Amino acid sequence: MELYDGVPRELSALQKKRTLYQPELPPSLQGTSVRAVFGDTTTAVDMYSSSLIKEAFPLTHGQRLAHFLCEAEALPSSQLIRESSVNKCNYWMVRTTLHWVFYIKLLHYRRLIRDLPLLGGQLENSQQVLRLIMGTLREGKHETPRALAFMEEILTIRERVGVVFCGRQAPGGHNVIWGLHDAIRSHNPDSVLLGFVGGTEGLFAQKTIEITDEVLSAYKKSRVTSNNDAAHLAEFFSKIKCSTQVVGVPVTINGDLKNHFVETNVGFDTVCRVNSQLIGNICLDALSAEKYYYFIRLMGHQSSHIAVECALQTHPNMVFLGEEVETSGPTLQNIIKEISDGVQARAEQGKYHGVILIPEGLVESVPELNALLQEIHSLQNEGVTTENISSHLSDKASTLFENLPSFIKKQFLLFPESDNAAQLSQIEMEKLLAHLVDLEMSKRMKEGTYKGKKFSGICHFLGFQTRGALPSQFDCNYAYALGHVCFYILAAGLSGYMAHITNSKNPVNKWKCGAIPITAMMTVNQEFQFPGATAVGKLALHPAKLT
Amino acid sequence: MELYDGVPRELSALQKKRTLYQPELPPSLQGTSVRAVFGDTTTAVDMYSSSLIKEAFPLTHGQRLAHFLCEAEALPSSQLIRESSVNKCNYWMVRTTLHWVFYIKLLHYRRLIRDLPLLGGQLENSQQVLRLIMGTLREGKHETPRALAFMEEILTIRERVGVVFCGRQAPGGHNVIWGLHDAIRSHNPDSVLLGFVGGTEGLFAQKTIEITDEVLSAYKKSRVTSNNDAAHLAEFFSKIKCSTQVVGVPVTINGDLKNHFVETNVGFDTVCRVNSQLIGNICLDALSAEKYYYFIRLMGHQSSHIAVECALQTHPNMVFLGEEVETSGPTLQNIIKEISDGVQARAEQGKYHGVILIPEGLVESVPELNALLQEIHSLQNEGVTTENISSHLSDKASTLFENLPSFIKKQFLLFPESDNAAQLSQIEMEKLLAHLVDLEMSKRMKEGTYKGKKFSGICHFLGFQTRGALPSQFDCNYAYALGHVCFYILAAGLSGYMAHITNSKNPVNKWKCGAIPITAMMTVNQEFQFPGATAVGKLALHPAKLT
């Protein structure tokens, strides 16, 4: 019997095996110290971005690449990083096991227990647990003085490392903390690690550092992502001569934090595997039922990495990649014709089933739909109310809008995210396609050009089911190793860097570790311009599209 | 490297482990023979059904229960069942490995290969593969003479056991054939096992026995399920003095083939586990996003077994059980109020997220919606066209119908299944609830009775993703043992029986095996009456609802 989600119960053989799993570490991280080798200073990919970076990050731009090697690999120019150096650095923190400690301490609080089942069998994301616990503590509705005192005691420890989760969770994120914790603790058992609960909000609420409007304003209206925040914080700390260091970690299910330095992101492997399993199941069902076309929309924001990876794993009948669509620029009607022709050709072979994958960003890749969305967002920015939007559209946009089915009209009118991107998870593009293909096939049937059975589409959106999945072995190892790399970045006194692992397609014992200045990955992206936008061309780590 | 889906590729450690897995067998099935002990003769649960059963099954009603024990358990009255007896029975068949043989033989046929990726990484369902192969053979478009000759050679073997898959697939179904095959082959290596490709249609196309209109008519307009067919076939064979025996196996994901004899069904365990995993992931996401209510509809036809099992595993915030709703008889508005009150109460605690489970049969459990559906189906049976239905509805039904959102109106107008049940998988009850709760919360907000943030619902239907999943260990073992039981039922000369295992909640070494006359589980169910129906109160194995 073990405690699992706070409830004592017999773990399954698989669950037991998971709890015993010790992630692997690449050779350079297996010792008690690493040798840091510094490479070239960095610059931006293009000249325009480069000059903007110098302006925006006067103190932290152009830092050198860092590689972490085994201590034994004695290079003349290398710097030995070990525990002594860490003691000097100013770090925020609670040991990662904090949430376990609290967890057990607080088990008798009724409200917490009532909320726990929501975790649904998984405790991979420490942020959630911490948030739960903090929520419980903050309300102060029950006898928490001892727990609160304990929390305060930890918060007042002065040498500490702090971890902030920004954005939405990704499977494996917890292992970054685990790796960092193990590395910190193996060097100094007295060290503690603090987690900021509630993500960025928690960081601000803590008030360990005054975040001015000036700092905040840098994020507004730009493609704010966790690692952009990290770069700005590092620059800010440097400016106010605060010795606090900031390190970023590539964690996102979308797999779009990818460039000439970063190979992959924590969470992407898990999400693609879980999605592929479900798509595989649906493919089998399609073949068994022999009467449905399944339209499956996959998460991934503007980029189609998840869709392409899942397509390679599962071999659907059709897959649309946003980037391809953007390049060839078809009309919605072209896409409907392409699918309908496929349906018709298969019907001629006696097949009335199939599986079609689309990325959630597809709606922004079809030029006319994207133009419509941008017009709507622009009107919303001008303060036009939802009811009045349709009467303010241009003629072309209005014609398109009025011909859309009502469910999708409503979704198009949703307010955009803070970065002016559409609420992609809420726009049922798969339904729109299935609906329009249905109309087209009925039309062909009426005209006598299609003589098969009635078309029948079923829609799925695979997103929320996979983002909370248990991490794959790769993500467990990758995140754990990145946590260790974070420690050595701090120990080496670096700030504004991202933890970095290369050779990730090979077994763990071939992985190479290092650190990349975040500014070296920033570019100016003009693509998010839209009529009426006031902030364009902001420096950011832009989502990497398929190329 | 192994062949996997016909493509040579490296299997993962987990896949290798799965291919090596040898299902366990209960003690009574581990030897080369069993002892059959016959119990009481059987009757129907109630008097009315009993007299109908006698009338409908004059030759096969009232058979005795059979228990299969280890040979060592020598009871004076027991009958030893071993290979010799099997040789006497008339059995249709192809060895189960047939599809593997064909599979490899046919790998060079282009069309087959083009279709294979659709299997999406799984080869659990031999029916699909057989169907694919037969399709390839039938078209005769390419050089198949050798394969065809091989097929014919097998088909002409006179002593054979035939397997027919009826209805939709369930994870683990394939293991029944595996178990049966192992049992048959271990007793007589020359035995072959035939599969009827394409399910029931394949059985008819084979024309090994003339199925008259009389036999067919017994199925029409009744709650036709695979095991009802089996009982009717057994009676029919008995009537024409054909020595062919018929055995049923409890295989259905819905878990509703359940009664005082049958404990559980092959596939139910897998589907509940896969669903619970996905719901658990969604629960975690709800807690992380803190802004969505997830409405999740689960498969299961009219009964809520899957919903209740998943709710026990995942502890959602709310679950509606069709059977409960049917008993208490709320209006749709009552249900919306109940959910909205919950949303409001949680908002007062600062919570804007939650997970609500509903069974797909819920729409038929809400009295007014069910009445509306029945009216529509009845009008459809009378030949009223879809366009004219709404004008033919009664006042009450019409008022309700006109107030429904358009997407659900369209789904309500779908033609019912052959047994007059609504097309539950196509009616998005979760969307209807989310839509109406949204309206209700907006109304309360306008009236000032709700002061929280805007309600936001996201809908999921978990069905097609799970039906094609790889079977759980329980389903693997259960199906494999049932396959063995089938062999001994045939060997004992029994017909019209269902393979039967009890003590299934205990480890496999505690399982007891036997056979139940299918007629002993049949009842007359008046519940499917509806205005205008011509056939009511037919004898059938009715889906078991929650009690």
Side-chain angles (χ1 to χ4, degrees):
Chain A
M1 301 288 262
E2 301 194 28
L3 270 185
Y4 196 75
D5 278 4
V7 182
R9 71 176 212 201
E10 197 67 49
L11 298 187
S12 75
L14 183 63
Q15 284 171 319
K16 277 182 195 152
K17 231 173 162 173
R18 283 195 76 100
T19 61
L20 295 175
Y21 184 68
Q22 175 63 36
E24 289 178 69
L25 277 178
S28 59
L29 302 178
Q30 287 172 7
T32 55
S33 57
V34 300
R35 283 204 173 269
V37 180
F38 290 93
D40 296 335
T41 57
T42 52
T43 180
V45 193
D46 60 274
M47 287 293 288
Y48 179 53
S49 301
S50 182
S51 64
L52 273 177
I53 284 173
K54 275 185 198 158
E55 209 174 290
F57 300 91
L59 303 169
T60 54
H61 82 272
Q63 299 193 89
R64 289 183 299 160
L65 297 177
H67 309 281
F68 297 137
L69 309 175
C70 293
E71 196 184 337
E73 297 183 62
L75 286 171
S77 65
S78 66
Q79 176 192 337
L80 189 64
I81 312 293
R82 52 158 41 117
E83 64 269 37
S84 56
S85 358
V86 176
N87 284 335
K88 285 184 217 139
C89 80
N90 176 21
Y91 55 107
W92 298 315
M93 178 48 85
V94 174
R95 72 200 77 185
T96 320
T97 49
L98 164 75
H99 69 269
W100 291 109
V101 176
F102 265 87
Y103 199 54
I104 291 155
K105 275 188 180 247
L106 292 175
L107 268 186
H108 57 288
Y109 293 111
R110 243 183 331 140
R111 181 161 170 277
L112 183 61
I113 289 174
R114 210 188 47 214
D115 276 336
L116 283 174
L118 253 184
L119 288 166
Q122 288 153 10
L123 233 171
E124 292 301 308
N125 195 324
S126 63
Q127 181 197 14
Q128 295 317 315
V129 179
L130 280 172
R131 199 184 285 185
L132 257 185
I133 291 164
M134 286 298 281
T136 310
L137 288 177
R138 275 194 210 118
E139 294 199 4
K141 284 186 189 153
H142 21 57
E143 356 79 83
T144 54
R146 256 162 41 104
L148 211 53
F150 179 66
M151 185 63 140
E152 271 166 9
E153 176 196 326
I154 293 165
L155 290 176
T156 51
I157 292 169
R158 296 175 73 186
E159 289 193 334
R160 47 199 197 272
V161 175
V163 177
V164 189
F165 278 108
C166 310
R168 297 301 312 277
Q169 89 273 19
H174 180 241
N175 274 27
V176 175
I177 309 190
W178 182 14
L180 177 57
H181 170 255
D182 280 7
I184 288 172
R185 298 274 295 172
S186 75
H187 287 83
N188 183 349
D190 292 332
S191 294
V192 283
L193 181 68
L194 284 180
F196 287 96
V197 293
T200 319
E201 277 178 30
L203 178 65
F204 297 163
Q206 201 65 54
K207 287 178 189 157
T208 27
I209 189 78
E210 194 191 357
I211 307 286
T212 64
D213 279 356
E214 187 198 352
V215 178
L216 271 176
S217 67
Y219 309 153
K220 283 182 188 163
K221 296 253 180 197
S222 77
R223 201 141 196 86
V224 178
T225 68
S226 335
N227 285 290
N228 289 331
D229 296 351
H232 284 285
L233 262 181
E235 178 71 19
F236 179 76
F237 289 151
S238 179
K239 186 173 158 195
I240 63 168
K241 305 235 184 310
C242 165
S243 62
T244 298
Q245 302 155 249
V246 185
V247 177
V249 188
V251 181
T252 164
I253 61 161
N254 301 324
D256 57 0
L257 174 44
K258 219 165 156 178
N259 50 45
H260 46 303
F261 294 116
V262 181
E263 292 181 356
T264 189
N265 310 141
V266 174
F268 178 70
D269 182 64
T270 304
V271 164
C272 290
R273 281 173 192 270
V274 177
N275 271 333
S276 297
Q277 196 186 12
L278 295 175
I279 297 165
N281 291 351
I282 294 172
C283 286
L284 190 65
D285 204 79
L287 195 55
S288 164
E290 293 188 323
K291 57 181 175 181
Y292 298 126
Y293 274 86
Y294 293 93
F295 289 73
I296 305 175
R297 179 163 51 107
L298 297 164
M299 276 200 163
H301 283 175
Q302 276 79 13
S303 54
S304 309
H305 299 284
I306 293 178
V308 82
E309 181 64 28
C310 292
L312 289 170
Q313 293 292 331
T314 60
H315 297 214
N317 298 83
M318 220 176 233
V319 59
F320 287 90
L321 301 179
E323 291 81 347
E324 244 178 39
V325 167
E326 229 166 69
T327 312
S328 57
T331 62
L332 184 56
Q333 196 46 44
N334 293 151
I335 293 177
I336 300 307
K337 184 179 180 306
E338 195 178 344
I339 301 174
S340 302
D341 289 350
V343 169
Q344 182 154 355
R346 285 176 64 79
E348 281 159 16
Q349 295 173 13
K351 294 177 190 169
Y352 293 95
H353 62 278
V355 174
I356 298 168
L357 301 187
I358 64 166
E360 65 178 0
L362 184 63
V363 65
E364 288 191 338
S365 305
V366 179
E368 58 192 318
L369 294 180
N370 191 41
L372 172 59
L373 278 171
Q374 300 304 355
E375 266 197 46
I376 292 172
H377 295 171
S378 166
L379 291 169
Q380 285 169 330
N381 280 331
E382 290 167 18
V384 178
T385 59
T386 305
E387 299 74 42
N388 293 324
I389 294 270
S390 66
S391 60
H392 282 70
L393 290 170
S394 69
D395 285 353
K396 199 177 160 191
S398 177
T399 310
L400 175 61
F401 186 73
E402 294 310 325
N403 282 316
L404 291 175
S406 61
F407 70 90
I408 205 98
K409 270 188 193 169
K410 204 175 151 194
Q411 295 165 354
F412 268 53
L413 291 175
L414 289 171
F415 274 85
E417 311 270 4
S418 57
D419 59 357
N420 269 304
Q423 287 196 39
L424 294 177
S425 71
Q426 306 298 304
I427 299 181
E428 296 174 305
M429 185 68 180
E430 76 282 16
K431 283 236 154 143
L432 179 61
L433 295 184
H435 174 82
L436 294 176
V437 171
D438 193 3
L439 292 182
E440 172 68 19
M441 295 314 295
S442 299
K443 190 178 135 236
R444 292 185 186 189
M445 207 182 234
K446 231 171 188 169
E447 295 170 353
T449 49
Y450 171 67
K451 297 181 192 346
K453 296 185 205 167
K454 189 172 170 356
F455 167 84
S456 188
I458 289 184
C459 295
H460 286 288
F461 173 42
L462 301 184
F464 302 102
Q465 301 101 312
T466 57
R467 198 158 54 181
L470 288 170
S472 69
Q473 195 175 24
F474 174 82
D475 278 332
C476 283
N477 289 335
Y478 186 51
Y480 186 74
L482 284 170
H484 279 73
V485 173
C486 287
F487 168 79
Y488 288 111
I489 294 175
L490 292 174
L494 305 174
S495 187
Y497 274 77
M498 187 184 287
H500 182 227
I501 284 172
T502 52
N503 267 347
S504 61
K505 76 176 163 73
N506 293 314
V508 181
N509 64 15
K510 302 285 185 209
W511 289 3
K512 305 282 180 207
C513 305
I516 309 291
I518 299 176
T519 54
M521 298 181 275
M522 289 181 146
T523 48
V524 174
N525 198 330
Q526 303 279 345
E527 134 182 26
F528 299 102
Q529 288 187 32
F530 56 91
T534 50
V536 293
K538 276 265 174 189
L539 267 180
L541 273 160
H542 291 286
K545 300 218 165 183
L546 282 174
T547 45
Chain B
M1 301 287 260
E2 301 196 25
L3 270 186
Y4 196 74
D5 278 3
V7 182
R9 73 176 211 203
E10 198 68 47
L11 297 190
S12 75
L14 183 63
Q15 285 172 318
K16 276 183 196 152
K17 233 174 162 174
R18 282 196 76 101
T19 62
L20 294 175
Y21 184 69
Q22 175 63 38
E24 289 178 68
L25 276 178
S28 60
L29 302 178
Q30 288 173 6
T32 54
S33 56
V34 298
R35 284 206 172 267
V37 179
F38 290 93
D40 296 334
T41 57
T42 52
T43 180
V45 193
D46 60 275
M47 287 291 291
Y48 180 53
S49 301
S50 180
S51 65
L52 273 176
I53 285 173
K54 276 185 198 160
E55 210 175 289
F57 301 92
L59 303 168
T60 55
H61 82 273
Q63 299 192 88
R64 290 184 296 160
L65 297 176
H67 309 281
F68 298 137
L69 309 175
C70 295
E71 196 182 339
E73 297 182 62
L75 285 172
S77 66
S78 66
Q79 176 191 338
L80 188 66
I81 312 293
R82 51 158 38 117
E83 65 271 32
S84 56
S85 355
V86 177
N87 283 335
K88 284 185 216 136
C89 81
N90 178 22
Y91 55 104
W92 298 315
M93 184 40 83
V94 174
R95 72 200 75 188
T96 321
T97 49
L98 165 74
H99 69 268
W100 292 108
V101 175
F102 263 91
Y103 198 55
I104 292 156
K105 275 189 179 242
L106 291 176
L107 269 184
H108 58 286
Y109 293 114
R110 244 184 331 138
R111 181 161 170 276
L112 183 61
I113 288 172
R114 209 186 49 212
D115 276 338
L116 283 175
L118 253 184
L119 287 168
Q122 287 151 9
L123 233 170
E124 292 302 306
N125 195 324
S126 63
Q127 181 196 12
Q128 296 315 316
V129 179
L130 280 172
R131 198 185 285 187
L132 258 182
I133 291 165
M134 285 298 283
T136 311
L137 289 175
R138 275 197 210 114
E139 296 202 0
K141 283 185 187 154
H142 22 60
E143 354 79 82
T144 54
R146 255 162 41 104
L148 211 53
F150 179 64
M151 185 61 135
E152 271 167 9
E153 176 196 325
I154 293 164
L155 290 176
T156 53
I157 293 169
R158 295 177 75 188
E159 288 192 334
R160 46 199 199 271
V161 175
V163 177
V164 190
F165 279 107
C166 309
R168 296 302 311 277
Q169 89 272 20
H174 181 241
N175 274 25
V176 175
I177 308 191
W178 183 14
L180 177 58
H181 170 255
D182 280 7
I184 288 172
R185 299 274 295 171
S186 76
H187 286 83
N188 182 348
D190 293 332
S191 295
V192 284
L193 181 67
L194 285 179
F196 288 97
V197 294
T200 320
E201 279 178 28
L203 178 67
F204 297 161
Q206 201 66 52
K207 288 179 189 158
T208 28
I209 188 80
E210 196 191 354
I211 306 285
T212 63
D213 279 358
E214 187 198 354
V215 177
L216 271 176
S217 66
Y219 309 152
K220 283 181 186 163
K221 296 254 180 191
S222 76
R223 199 140 200 87
V224 178
T225 69
S226 332
N227 285 291
N228 289 331
D229 297 350
H232 284 284
L233 263 180
E235 178 70 20
F236 179 75
F237 288 152
S238 178
K239 187 173 159 194
I240 63 167
K241 307 234 182 313
C242 166
S243 62
T244 299
Q245 301 155 247
V246 185
V247 177
V249 188
V251 181
T252 165
I253 62 161
N254 301 324
D256 57 0
L257 175 44
K258 218 164 155 178
N259 50 47
H260 46 300
F261 296 115
V262 181
E263 293 181 355
T264 188
N265 309 143
V266 174
F268 179 70
D269 182 65
T270 304
V271 163
C272 289
R273 281 173 190 270
V274 177
N275 272 333
S276 296
Q277 195 185 15
L278 296 175
I279 297 165
N281 291 351
I282 293 171
C283 286
L284 190 64
D285 205 80
L287 195 54
S288 163
E290 292 187 325
K291 57 181 175 178
Y292 297 127
Y293 273 87
Y294 292 94
F295 288 73
I296 306 175
R297 179 166 48 112
L298 298 164
M299 275 200 165
H301 284 176
Q302 276 78 13
S303 53
S304 308
H305 299 284
I306 293 178
V308 81
E309 182 65 27
C310 292
L312 290 170
Q313 293 291 331
T314 60
H315 297 213
N317 298 83
M318 220 178 234
V319 57
F320 286 90
L321 302 180
E323 292 81 347
E324 246 178 37
V325 167
E326 229 165 71
T327 311
S328 57
T331 62
L332 184 57
Q333 198 46 44
N334 294 151
I335 293 178
I336 298 308
K337 185 179 180 307
E338 194 178 344
I339 301 175
S340 302
D341 288 350
V343 168
Q344 183 154 354
R346 286 176 64 81
E348 281 157 16
Q349 295 173 13
K351 296 177 189 169
Y352 293 95
H353 63 277
V355 173
I356 298 168
L357 301 186
I358 64 166
E360 65 177 359
L362 184 63
V363 65
E364 288 190 337
S365 305
V366 180
E368 58 192 318
L369 294 178
N370 191 41
L372 171 59
L373 278 171
Q374 300 304 354
E375 266 198 48
I376 292 171
H377 296 170
S378 164
L379 291 168
Q380 286 169 327
N381 280 330
E382 289 167 18
V384 178
T385 59
T386 306
E387 299 74 41
N388 293 324
I389 294 271
S390 66
S391 59
H392 283 69
L393 290 170
S394 68
D395 285 354
K396 199 176 158 191
S398 178
T399 309
L400 175 63
F401 186 72
E402 294 311 326
N403 282 316
L404 291 174
S406 61
F407 71 90
I408 204 96
K409 271 188 193 169
K410 205 174 151 193
Q411 295 165 353
F412 268 55
L413 292 175
L414 289 171
F415 273 84
E417 311 269 4
S418 57
D419 59 358
N420 268 304
Q423 287 195 39
L424 294 177
S425 71
Q426 306 298 303
I427 299 181
E428 296 174 304
M429 185 66 181
E430 76 283 16
K431 284 235 152 143
L432 179 61
L433 295 185
H435 175 82
L436 295 176
V437 171
D438 193 2
L439 293 183
E440 172 68 19
M441 295 314 294
S442 300
K443 192 179 134 234
R444 292 187 185 190
M445 207 181 233
K446 233 173 188 168
E447 294 169 353
T449 51
Y450 171 67
K451 297 182 192 345
K453 295 185 205 165
K454 192 174 165 357
F455 167 84
S456 189
I458 289 185
C459 295
H460 286 289
F461 174 41
L462 301 183
F464 302 102
Q465 301 103 312
T466 57
R467 198 159 52 182
L470 288 172
S472 69
Q473 197 175 23
F474 174 83
D475 279 332
C476 283
N477 290 335
Y478 186 52
Y480 186 73
L482 284 170
H484 278 72
V485 173
C486 288
F487 168 78
Y488 288 111
I489 293 175
L490 293 173
L494 304 175
S495 186
Y497 275 77
M498 187 184 289
H500 182 229
I501 284 172
T502 52
N503 268 347
S504 61
K505 76 175 163 71
N506 294 313
V508 182
N509 64 15
K510 303 285 183 208
W511 290 2
K512 305 284 178 203
C513 306
I516 308 291
I518 299 176
T519 54
M521 298 181 275
M522 289 181 147
T523 48
V524 175
N525 198 332
Q526 302 280 344
E527 134 184 29
F528 300 102
Q529 288 185 32
F530 56 89
T534 51
V536 292
K538 275 267 178 188
L539 268 179
L541 273 160
H542 292 286
K545 300 216 164 182
L546 283 172
T547 45

